[in-house]
Amino acid sequence: MHLAYPAVLAALLFCTGLYGVLARRNAVLVLMSVELMLNAVNLNLVAFDVWLRDALHGGQALTLFTIAIAAAEIGIGLAIVLMVYRNRGTSDVDRLRDTAEGHEPAPNDQTAPNNQSEVTA
């Protein structure tokens, strides 16, 4: 088998994952796209390991390590996404940008106190 076939397939997988990361708004779909990119890298590692005929199979060993890291990453990532969804009610990436800065109410927010309409006792 030629090296070009798995390399082209890995490039297509990686480009699809990159498009998913850049274009998607849902955090779960972004995590799935990252996994697609990691699988493209794993395919390249195994393909080059077979092509080079490495006696120690370093590419395959590194692939197993990458799979273990990806499993831990997706577990922690999904836990974070679920907690954010429970707290905020959305998993939209664009609406979660204020997480690092802290939540400041918008000027037209109905929950913000209005000094003119407050009634003091």
Side-chain angles (χ1 to χ4, degrees):
M1 181 169 73
H2 295 287
L3 183 62
Y5 298 134
V8 168
L9 179 62
L12 289 174
L13 281 175
F14 192 84
C15 289
T16 304
L18 186 64
Y19 173 75
V21 168
L22 295 176
R24 299 290 179 197
R25 301 291 181 234
N26 191 349
V28 175
L29 292 177
V30 170
L31 286 174
M32 287 174 57
S33 299
V34 169
E35 291 296 321
L36 205 67
M37 291 167 55
L38 285 173
N39 284 332
V41 170
N42 288 340
L43 182 61
N44 268 335
L45 285 171
V46 172
F48 277 99
D49 182 48
V50 170
W51 185 64
L52 293 174
R53 295 188 179 123
D54 186 18
L56 296 176
H57 298 293
Q60 294 178 18
L62 191 57
T63 298
L64 290 175
F65 180 71
T66 306
I67 290 170
I69 295 297
E73 174 257 335
I74 199 67
I76 292 171
L78 280 176
I80 291 171
V81 168
L82 283 174
M83 289 305 297
V84 166
Y85 181 76
R86 285 182 186 169
N87 289 334
R88 300 268 177 131
T90 184
S91 63
D92 190 7
V93 176
D94 288 337
R95 294 184 183 171
L96 300 177
R97 292 187 186 214
D98 62 345
T99 305
E101 293 92 23
H103 182 66
E104 297 176 8
N108 58 0
D109 194 4
Q110 298 297 329
T111 60
N114 190 354
N115 292 335
Q116 296 172 351
S117 64
E118 285 185 22
V119 177
T120 57

